Amino acid sequence: MALLVQKFGGTSVGSVERIQAVAQRIAASREQGHDLVIVVSAMGHTTDELTALARALCPEPPQREMDMLLATGEQVSIALLAMALHSIGVPAVSMTGPQVGIVTESAHGRARILEVRTERLRKRLEEGQVVVVAGFQGTSSGSAGTPEITTLGRGGSDTSAVALAAALGADACEIYTDVPGVLTTDPRQVSDAQLMEEVSCNEMLELASLGAAVLHPRAVEIARNYGVPPVGRPRRSDAPRPRLTSGMPPPIG
Ligand code: ASP
Ligand code: MG
């Protein structure tokens, strides 16, 4: 039994069917006895679509309002995934970045995480709930005023996952990448082609040192600084190593 942080990107939660598939996967992990914190991104291209809407109305939207807008994308995903889990009998609760205690700098649109206050999260885990957390968002501390919703920069859900894993002392942080073709999958372990290879924190650091654009750079930075523990499950030695392929998207974040 372990405490796992699992992150699912926008493609993984991009439709009803995919959310159901993610829920099934979470249920399977839970049946193995793990405590689970799930971090999700906004569905599909939601963040891009919201950005386009903003630009259609205002060429240079205020960053505060952009954060108000973009944070809604992840909020949709967490509520829907929690509902999908409920419908298959898995007790789950969704939490926004502010609710989960991700405290950031006040710089809108590119806020760095300062602290993760885990009490509320731990309490839910102790109750046996799966906690579904909105990635990419937090709250400024409010020490210099009112707390505000902040976002961590594009691709920032990875950072949320790694920061939560570090703060909780999780046994593993598993990032299920959105980007098909970036990592090899093991067809013996992964039957659904949409389901990407799991990446352990060790592998993340390895990929980062290769200059991979797989992960949000701050996720890697936090993993380094806090020494996020490597994945608890050893990889099979005959399993293919994650590797970069051509056709990589340009770096994000
Ligand atoms: N939804 C945000 C983005 O598209 C954060 C993320 O996906 O990690 O950049
Ligand atoms: Mg991403």
Side-chain angles (χ1 to χ4, degrees), residues 7-9 11-12 18 22 25 174-187 189-200 203 214 235 242-243 245:
K7 180 256 173 176
F8 295 92
T11 307
S12 306
R18 289 186 180 191
V22 167
R25 194 180 172 89
E174 299 171 350
I175 308 271
Y176 294 83
T177 178
D178 279 359
V179 188
V182 171
L183 300 173
T184 49
T185 56
D186 179 351
Q189 292 181 333
V190 182
S191 56
D192 177 352
Q194 298 303 321
L195 214 53
M196 293 300 129
E197 178 68 73
E198 294 177 19
V199 187
S200 75
E203 288 162 348
V214 181
R235 290 176 62 85
R243 66 181 172 81
T245 63

Short mmCIF file of all heavy atoms in Angstrom, two decimals, residues 7-9 11-12 18 22 25 174-187 189-200 203 214 235 242-243 245:
data_model
loop_
_atom_site.label_atom_id
_atom_site.label_comp_id
_atom_site.label_asym_id
_atom_site.label_seq_id
_atom_site.Cartn_x
_atom_site.Cartn_y
_atom_site.Cartn_z
N LYS A 7 -1.18 12.02 -12.18
CA LYS A 7 -1.65 13.18 -12.95
C LYS A 7 -2.11 12.75 -14.34
O LYS A 7 -1.42 12.01 -15.03
CB LYS A 7 -0.53 14.22 -13.07
CG LYS A 7 -0.92 15.47 -13.84
CD LYS A 7 -0.35 15.48 -15.22
CE LYS A 7 -0.87 16.62 -16.07
NZ LYS A 7 -0.22 16.67 -17.39
N PHE A 8 -3.30 13.21 -14.70
CA PHE A 8 -3.86 12.92 -16.03
C PHE A 8 -4.04 14.23 -16.78
O PHE A 8 -4.68 15.16 -16.30
CB PHE A 8 -5.20 12.19 -15.90
CG PHE A 8 -5.07 10.83 -15.28
CD1 PHE A 8 -5.20 10.67 -13.92
CD2 PHE A 8 -4.78 9.72 -16.06
CE1 PHE A 8 -5.07 9.42 -13.32
CE2 PHE A 8 -4.63 8.46 -15.48
CZ PHE A 8 -4.78 8.32 -14.11
N GLY A 9 -3.51 14.29 -17.97
CA GLY A 9 -3.56 15.51 -18.76
C GLY A 9 -4.87 15.69 -19.51
O GLY A 9 -5.79 14.87 -19.40
N THR A 11 -5.85 15.44 -22.62
CA THR A 11 -6.33 14.43 -23.56
C THR A 11 -6.96 13.26 -22.80
O THR A 11 -8.00 12.73 -23.20
CB THR A 11 -5.16 13.91 -24.43
OG1 THR A 11 -4.51 15.04 -25.01
CG2 THR A 11 -5.65 12.99 -25.53
N SER A 12 -6.33 12.90 -21.69
CA SER A 12 -6.82 11.76 -20.89
C SER A 12 -8.20 12.01 -20.30
O SER A 12 -8.90 11.06 -19.98
CB SER A 12 -5.85 11.47 -19.74
OG SER A 12 -4.55 11.29 -20.21
N ARG A 18 -13.30 9.02 -21.96
CA ARG A 18 -11.94 9.04 -21.41
C ARG A 18 -11.97 9.29 -19.91
O ARG A 18 -11.15 8.73 -19.17
CB ARG A 18 -11.10 10.09 -22.13
CG ARG A 18 -10.80 9.60 -23.52
CD ARG A 18 -9.86 10.49 -24.25
NE ARG A 18 -9.66 9.91 -25.56
CZ ARG A 18 -8.74 10.30 -26.40
NH1 ARG A 18 -7.92 11.26 -26.07
NH2 ARG A 18 -8.62 9.72 -27.57
N VAL A 22 -10.33 6.85 -17.15
CA VAL A 22 -9.45 7.30 -16.05
C VAL A 22 -10.03 6.84 -14.71
O VAL A 22 -9.31 6.33 -13.84
CB VAL A 22 -9.27 8.84 -16.08
CG1 VAL A 22 -8.65 9.35 -14.79
CG2 VAL A 22 -8.41 9.25 -17.28
N ARG A 25 -9.31 3.28 -14.13
CA ARG A 25 -7.91 3.09 -13.79
C ARG A 25 -7.66 3.44 -12.32
O ARG A 25 -6.92 2.77 -11.60
CB ARG A 25 -7.05 3.96 -14.71
CG ARG A 25 -5.62 3.57 -14.65
CD ARG A 25 -4.74 4.41 -15.54
NE ARG A 25 -3.38 4.03 -15.24
CZ ARG A 25 -2.71 3.06 -15.84
NH1 ARG A 25 -3.28 2.39 -16.81
NH2 ARG A 25 -1.49 2.78 -15.50
N GLU A 174 3.08 9.81 -10.50
CA GLU A 174 2.96 9.21 -11.82
C GLU A 174 2.31 10.20 -12.77
O GLU A 174 1.19 10.63 -12.55
CB GLU A 174 2.12 7.93 -11.74
CG GLU A 174 2.73 6.89 -10.82
CD GLU A 174 1.82 5.70 -10.56
OE1 GLU A 174 0.63 5.75 -10.92
OE2 GLU A 174 2.31 4.72 -9.97
N ILE A 175 3.04 10.56 -13.80
CA ILE A 175 2.52 11.52 -14.77
C ILE A 175 2.09 10.75 -16.01
O ILE A 175 2.93 10.11 -16.65
CB ILE A 175 3.61 12.54 -15.17
CG1 ILE A 175 4.25 13.17 -13.93
CG2 ILE A 175 3.06 13.57 -16.15
CD1 ILE A 175 3.61 14.40 -13.40
N TYR A 176 0.84 10.79 -16.31
CA TYR A 176 0.35 10.16 -17.54
C TYR A 176 0.31 11.25 -18.59
O TYR A 176 -0.51 12.15 -18.54
CB TYR A 176 -1.04 9.57 -17.32
CG TYR A 176 -1.01 8.42 -16.35
CD1 TYR A 176 -1.04 8.65 -14.98
CD2 TYR A 176 -0.93 7.11 -16.80
CE1 TYR A 176 -0.99 7.60 -14.08
CE2 TYR A 176 -0.88 6.07 -15.92
CZ TYR A 176 -0.90 6.31 -14.55
OH TYR A 176 -0.84 5.28 -13.67
N THR A 177 1.24 11.17 -19.52
CA THR A 177 1.38 12.31 -20.43
C THR A 177 0.28 12.36 -21.47
O THR A 177 -0.27 11.35 -21.88
CB THR A 177 2.77 12.31 -21.09
OG1 THR A 177 2.83 13.40 -21.98
CG2 THR A 177 3.01 11.03 -21.87
N ASP A 178 -0.01 13.58 -21.87
CA ASP A 178 -1.00 13.86 -22.91
C ASP A 178 -0.49 13.57 -24.30
O ASP A 178 -1.26 13.46 -25.24
CB ASP A 178 -1.27 15.37 -22.97
CG ASP A 178 -2.23 15.82 -21.91
OD1 ASP A 178 -2.71 14.97 -21.15
OD2 ASP A 178 -2.48 17.03 -21.87
N VAL A 179 0.81 13.63 -24.44
CA VAL A 179 1.38 13.77 -25.78
C VAL A 179 1.74 12.42 -26.35
O VAL A 179 2.74 11.82 -25.98
CB VAL A 179 2.64 14.67 -25.73
CG1 VAL A 179 3.12 14.98 -27.13
CG2 VAL A 179 2.34 15.95 -24.97
N PRO A 180 0.90 11.91 -27.27
CA PRO A 180 1.19 10.59 -27.82
C PRO A 180 2.52 10.61 -28.56
O PRO A 180 2.84 11.58 -29.24
CB PRO A 180 0.03 10.33 -28.79
CG PRO A 180 -0.98 11.37 -28.51
CD PRO A 180 -0.25 12.54 -27.89
N GLY A 181 3.27 9.57 -28.43
CA GLY A 181 4.50 9.46 -29.20
C GLY A 181 5.72 10.02 -28.51
O GLY A 181 6.82 9.84 -28.99
N VAL A 182 5.54 10.68 -27.40
CA VAL A 182 6.72 11.21 -26.72
C VAL A 182 7.42 10.12 -25.95
O VAL A 182 8.63 10.02 -25.95
CB VAL A 182 6.33 12.37 -25.78
CG1 VAL A 182 7.50 12.77 -24.91
CG2 VAL A 182 5.89 13.55 -26.61
N LEU A 183 6.62 9.28 -25.31
CA LEU A 183 7.20 8.17 -24.58
C LEU A 183 6.74 6.88 -25.23
O LEU A 183 5.62 6.79 -25.69
CB LEU A 183 6.73 8.20 -23.12
CG LEU A 183 7.09 9.44 -22.33
CD1 LEU A 183 6.43 9.39 -20.98
CD2 LEU A 183 8.59 9.55 -22.18
N THR A 184 7.58 5.87 -25.19
CA THR A 184 7.13 4.58 -25.66
C THR A 184 6.15 3.99 -24.67
O THR A 184 6.23 4.24 -23.48
CB THR A 184 8.30 3.58 -25.80
OG1 THR A 184 9.05 3.62 -24.60
CG2 THR A 184 9.16 3.90 -26.98
N THR A 185 5.23 3.24 -25.15
CA THR A 185 4.33 2.52 -24.26
C THR A 185 4.69 1.05 -24.32
O THR A 185 5.29 0.58 -25.29
CB THR A 185 2.87 2.68 -24.69
OG1 THR A 185 2.76 2.23 -26.04
CG2 THR A 185 2.41 4.10 -24.59
N ASP A 186 4.35 0.34 -23.28
CA ASP A 186 4.57 -1.09 -23.27
C ASP A 186 3.24 -1.76 -23.54
O ASP A 186 2.37 -1.76 -22.69
CB ASP A 186 5.12 -1.51 -21.90
CG ASP A 186 5.35 -3.01 -21.84
OD1 ASP A 186 4.93 -3.72 -22.78
OD2 ASP A 186 5.95 -3.46 -20.86
N PRO A 187 3.04 -2.29 -24.74
CA PRO A 187 1.73 -2.83 -25.10
C PRO A 187 1.31 -3.99 -24.20
O PRO A 187 0.14 -4.29 -24.07
CB PRO A 187 1.93 -3.29 -26.55
CG PRO A 187 3.40 -3.36 -26.77
CD PRO A 187 4.03 -2.43 -25.80
N GLN A 189 1.67 -3.95 -21.03
CA GLN A 189 1.13 -3.36 -19.80
C GLN A 189 0.01 -2.39 -20.10
O GLN A 189 -0.84 -2.12 -19.26
CB GLN A 189 2.24 -2.60 -19.05
CG GLN A 189 3.29 -3.51 -18.48
CD GLN A 189 4.34 -2.73 -17.72
OE1 GLN A 189 4.56 -1.57 -18.01
NE2 GLN A 189 4.96 -3.37 -16.75
N VAL A 190 0.05 -1.82 -21.30
CA VAL A 190 -0.88 -0.75 -21.63
C VAL A 190 -1.70 -1.19 -22.83
O VAL A 190 -1.20 -1.21 -23.95
CB VAL A 190 -0.12 0.55 -21.96
CG1 VAL A 190 -1.09 1.68 -22.25
CG2 VAL A 190 0.81 0.92 -20.81
N SER A 191 -2.94 -1.57 -22.58
CA SER A 191 -3.74 -2.07 -23.69
C SER A 191 -4.36 -0.92 -24.48
O SER A 191 -4.49 -0.99 -25.69
CB SER A 191 -4.83 -2.99 -23.16
OG SER A 191 -5.60 -2.31 -22.20
N ASP A 192 -4.72 0.15 -23.80
CA ASP A 192 -5.36 1.29 -24.46
C ASP A 192 -4.27 2.21 -25.00
O ASP A 192 -3.47 2.76 -24.26
CB ASP A 192 -6.22 2.01 -23.42
CG ASP A 192 -6.88 3.26 -23.98
OD1 ASP A 192 -6.57 3.66 -25.12
OD2 ASP A 192 -7.69 3.84 -23.27
N ALA A 193 -4.25 2.39 -26.30
CA ALA A 193 -3.18 3.17 -26.92
C ALA A 193 -3.14 4.60 -26.41
O ALA A 193 -2.12 5.26 -26.47
CB ALA A 193 -3.33 3.16 -28.43
N GLN A 194 -4.27 5.10 -25.92
CA GLN A 194 -4.30 6.47 -25.42
C GLN A 194 -3.61 6.60 -24.07
O GLN A 194 -3.28 7.68 -23.64
CB GLN A 194 -5.75 6.96 -25.25
CG GLN A 194 -6.53 7.00 -26.55
CD GLN A 194 -5.86 7.85 -27.58
OE1 GLN A 194 -5.30 8.90 -27.27
NE2 GLN A 194 -5.88 7.41 -28.82
N LEU A 195 -3.47 5.47 -23.40
CA LEU A 195 -2.89 5.50 -22.08
C LEU A 195 -1.37 5.48 -22.19
O LEU A 195 -0.79 4.56 -22.72
CB LEU A 195 -3.36 4.26 -21.33
CG LEU A 195 -3.60 4.36 -19.85
CD1 LEU A 195 -4.52 5.50 -19.52
CD2 LEU A 195 -4.20 3.05 -19.38
N MET A 196 -0.75 6.53 -21.72
CA MET A 196 0.69 6.65 -21.94
C MET A 196 1.48 5.99 -20.83
O MET A 196 0.98 5.70 -19.75
CB MET A 196 1.06 8.13 -22.02
CG MET A 196 0.49 8.79 -23.25
SD MET A 196 1.10 8.03 -24.76
CE MET A 196 -0.43 7.76 -25.60
N GLU A 197 2.73 5.80 -21.11
CA GLU A 197 3.68 5.22 -20.15
C GLU A 197 3.69 6.01 -18.84
O GLU A 197 3.61 7.22 -18.83
CB GLU A 197 5.07 5.30 -20.80
CG GLU A 197 6.21 4.80 -19.96
CD GLU A 197 6.14 3.30 -19.75
OE1 GLU A 197 6.41 2.57 -20.70
OE2 GLU A 197 5.82 2.91 -18.63
N GLU A 198 3.79 5.29 -17.75
CA GLU A 198 3.97 5.97 -16.46
C GLU A 198 5.40 6.48 -16.37
O GLU A 198 6.32 5.84 -16.83
CB GLU A 198 3.75 4.98 -15.31
CG GLU A 198 2.34 4.48 -15.21
CD GLU A 198 2.19 3.46 -14.10
OE1 GLU A 198 3.05 3.41 -13.21
OE2 GLU A 198 1.21 2.73 -14.15
N VAL A 199 5.55 7.61 -15.80
CA VAL A 199 6.89 8.17 -15.64
C VAL A 199 7.17 8.34 -14.16
O VAL A 199 6.44 9.04 -13.47
CB VAL A 199 7.00 9.55 -16.32
CG1 VAL A 199 8.43 10.04 -16.30
CG2 VAL A 199 6.49 9.47 -17.75
N SER A 200 8.18 7.70 -13.67
CA SER A 200 8.53 7.88 -12.27
C SER A 200 9.29 9.19 -12.12
O SER A 200 9.75 9.78 -13.10
CB SER A 200 9.40 6.73 -11.79
OG SER A 200 10.71 6.89 -12.31
N GLU A 203 12.67 8.97 -13.52
CA GLU A 203 12.68 9.06 -14.97
C GLU A 203 12.43 10.49 -15.44
O GLU A 203 12.99 10.93 -16.43
CB GLU A 203 11.63 8.12 -15.56
CG GLU A 203 12.02 6.67 -15.43
CD GLU A 203 10.86 5.72 -15.59
OE1 GLU A 203 9.70 6.18 -15.58
OE2 GLU A 203 11.10 4.52 -15.73
N VAL A 214 8.78 17.07 -22.11
CA VAL A 214 7.65 16.28 -21.65
C VAL A 214 6.96 16.92 -20.45
O VAL A 214 5.75 16.87 -20.30
CB VAL A 214 8.13 14.86 -21.26
CG1 VAL A 214 6.98 14.00 -20.80
CG2 VAL A 214 8.83 14.22 -22.43
N ARG A 235 10.22 -0.82 -12.29
CA ARG A 235 9.94 -1.13 -13.69
C ARG A 235 10.48 -2.51 -13.98
O ARG A 235 11.51 -2.89 -13.45
CB ARG A 235 10.65 -0.13 -14.60
CG ARG A 235 10.10 1.24 -14.55
CD ARG A 235 10.98 2.13 -15.41
NE ARG A 235 10.97 1.69 -16.81
CZ ARG A 235 10.05 2.04 -17.68
NH1 ARG A 235 9.06 2.81 -17.31
NH2 ARG A 235 10.11 1.62 -18.92
N PRO A 242 11.56 4.86 -21.27
CA PRO A 242 10.96 6.00 -21.95
C PRO A 242 11.98 6.62 -22.89
O PRO A 242 13.14 6.69 -22.55
CB PRO A 242 10.66 6.97 -20.81
CG PRO A 242 10.71 6.17 -19.58
CD PRO A 242 11.66 5.05 -19.84
N ARG A 243 11.56 6.98 -24.04
CA ARG A 243 12.51 7.62 -24.94
C ARG A 243 11.80 8.70 -25.72
O ARG A 243 10.59 8.66 -25.89
CB ARG A 243 13.15 6.61 -25.87
CG ARG A 243 12.16 6.01 -26.84
CD ARG A 243 12.83 4.98 -27.74
NE ARG A 243 11.81 4.29 -28.51
CZ ARG A 243 11.27 4.76 -29.62
NH1 ARG A 243 11.64 5.93 -30.10
NH2 ARG A 243 10.33 4.09 -30.25
N THR A 245 10.85 10.66 -29.07
CA THR A 245 10.74 10.37 -30.49
C THR A 245 10.67 11.69 -31.24
O THR A 245 10.53 12.75 -30.64
CB THR A 245 9.47 9.57 -30.80
OG1 THR A 245 8.35 10.38 -30.47
CG2 THR A 245 9.42 8.28 -30.01
#
